[in-house]
Amino acid sequence: MNKSHCILLSLILLLSACGQDKGKAHFNESQSLSDTSILKVALLPTLDCLPFSLAKEHGIYKQLGVKVKFIYYKSQMDIDQQLAQGKVDAGASDLFRAMLMQSNKSPVKYYMSTPRQWYLFAGKRLRVNKVQQLGDRMIGMARFSCPDYFCDYIRSQIPTRSGLLLRAQVNDIQLRLQMLNNSQIDAAVLPAPLSIVAEQRGHTRLATAEGLNGMAGLAVHSNINKTQRSALNKLIQGYNMEIDSLKAHPIGPLTSWLNRIYGIDSIPVKVQRSKMMSHAFKPQSDKVNTALKWMRSKNRLGRHYTADTLLWAK
């Protein structure tokens, strides 16, 4: 890496550290966060998290008799911190981060997978139209998570003579897109629906992380009470009911929700019928084993950690 790249990398990391905030959106419930009868769930501005919000808006959770409060963050790392400290009962996370938290003795378990997809985009100002051209380019991602795992695949596609894949940790996914728009990074790993916004802005989609389906979803704090444990099942039940409703009767005016919660002006209705909007599902053992092997290769887990206690046992 030459001197200019080193300076640029330092500036990118400084910008991402200064620019990231908790990203917490308002929630319009009157109950206190200390009310233990309420299931407190932290969500990301990703398409797979949207059905939770819509299920509440449409009265599904009230119908199921579950009290739930959603708190919105722009960074999965912020959610993981809140989850590990027991400040939320459940949160959008992934297998990699759940393993890391468990290995660090945090009382966290992985509960359910959702269809969260990730995409690699190159900035529109670059003359890059394939992954192999990303040598010595700066890519925005988050370490020891699904995007980082995806970056290893990307790196394997770049010829050695073309240089390194320079990873800039930008945890805030909306900031990641903003930095791509401003040419502060060369490429970024983005989830839907930010991937749709990136395409609308003219950025080039280079790859889709097909193999990551099932590696992200919902993690929970192990010490939640009996009422909250019961609410977990209804949380997923309501999620799946909303998915069925969206597929049977797609609604066009999602703009207000996407703008208020996600900061996105519009999204194609066709997305609601796509594989991006599907039921939550149980974690698959092969995905768990893949994540475990990769995390071990990064030396991020304790020597005796086995992931035997990773999954939530009903």
Side-chain angles (χ1 to χ4, degrees):
M1 187 187 304
N2 59 36
K3 183 177 180 180
S4 61
H5 271 132
C6 290
I7 294 173
L8 179 57
L9 179 58
S10 298
L11 288 172
I12 293 294
L13 295 178
L14 179 61
L15 278 170
S16 65
C18 294
Q20 294 189 44
D21 56 22
K22 294 299 182 186
K24 205 162 48 171
H26 70 279
F27 43 86
N28 53 18
E29 296 282 355
S30 59
Q31 297 97 332
S32 167
L33 282 173
S34 62
D35 188 341
T36 57
S37 69
I38 299 173
L39 188 69
K40 298 173 285 295
V41 183
L43 299 178
L44 285 168
T46 54
L47 196 61
D48 66 302
C49 285
L50 182 60
F52 288 116
S53 302
L54 292 177
K56 185 175 183 180
E57 174 73 3
H58 297 154
I60 291 177
Y61 289 127
K62 185 175 182 180
Q63 173 189 337
L64 293 174
V66 57
K67 295 180 181 180
V68 61
K69 183 188 292 287
F70 295 129
I71 311 166
Y72 302 91
Y73 292 81
K74 298 176 185 178
S75 163
Q76 182 182 315
M77 306 308 169
D78 290 335
I79 292 179
D80 290 339
Q81 183 179 32
Q82 297 294 302
L83 189 59
Q85 295 174 358
K87 294 182 179 180
V88 295
D89 306 310
S93 190
D94 61 39
L95 289 171
F96 306 98
R97 299 295 301 179
M99 287 179 184
L100 185 59
M101 286 186 281
Q102 268 203 355
S103 182
N104 290 334
K105 310 302 181 184
S106 296
V108 171
K109 289 181 180 289
Y110 188 80
Y111 183 70
M112 192 70 66
S113 291
T114 54
R116 191 176 312 155
Q117 275 286 13
W118 296 92
Y119 305 86
L120 172 66
F121 282 85
K124 62 183 178 181
R125 293 181 178 84
L126 299 180
R127 294 182 178 180
V128 171
N129 53 30
K130 55 185 179 180
V131 169
Q132 289 77 8
Q133 297 173 306
L134 285 177
D136 284 340
R137 298 289 188 178
M138 191 79 65
I139 181 169
M141 42 70 74
R143 292 201 178 278
F144 311 118
S145 65
C146 283
D148 198 9
Y149 177 79
F150 186 26
C151 282
D152 266 13
Y153 164 77
I154 296 165
R155 177 65 189 92
S156 71
Q157 303 302 302
I158 300 174
T160 304
R161 64 181 182 276
S162 298
L164 301 173
L165 181 69
L166 309 179
R167 306 185 195 192
Q169 180 157 327
V170 185
N171 294 333
D172 182 323
I173 57 178
Q174 290 183 329
L175 177 61
R176 208 178 296 166
L177 176 58
Q178 179 183 335
M179 293 175 74
L180 187 66
N181 291 336
N182 296 334
S183 299
Q184 293 170 299
I185 52 178
D186 301 311
V189 179
L190 297 169
L194 293 183
S195 59
I196 297 171
V197 178
E199 284 187 312
Q200 292 172 340
R201 291 293 186 92
H203 300 302
T204 305
R205 189 168 81 177
L206 299 180
T208 302
E210 297 288 356
L212 286 180
N213 190 28
M215 288 188 163
L218 202 69
V220 299
H221 194 273
S222 304
N223 298 332
I224 58 176
N225 62 40
K226 185 177 180 180
T227 300
Q228 293 165 331
R229 287 170 181 263
S230 176
L232 271 177
N233 290 334
K234 294 180 180 179
L235 180 74
I236 299 301
Q237 182 183 352
Y239 181 97
N240 291 338
M241 288 171 65
E242 180 62 34
I243 290 291
D244 291 339
S245 177
L246 285 172
K247 289 190 173 183
H249 309 286
I251 54 176
L254 290 180
T255 302
S256 61
W257 266 97
L258 290 164
N259 194 308
R260 177 152 57 96
I261 298 175
Y262 291 40
I264 296 172
D265 293 332
S266 62
I267 187 172
V269 175
K270 66 181 182 180
V271 170
Q272 296 167 233
R273 291 184 176 273
S274 76
K275 63 182 179 180
M276 296 186 212
M277 300 289 276
S278 60
H279 283 188
F281 52 96
K282 293 181 179 179
Q284 301 162 320
S285 59
D286 61 326
K287 301 292 185 181
V288 173
N289 292 334
T290 297
L292 180 61
K293 181 179 179 180
W294 186 81
M295 288 294 285
R296 280 177 173 162
S297 73
K298 301 298 180 182
N299 296 316
R300 301 306 300 178
L301 303 176
R303 180 182 301 179
H304 302 294
Y305 181 78
T306 62
D308 289 345
T309 61
L310 179 69
L311 303 182
W312 180 268
K314 296 183 180 179

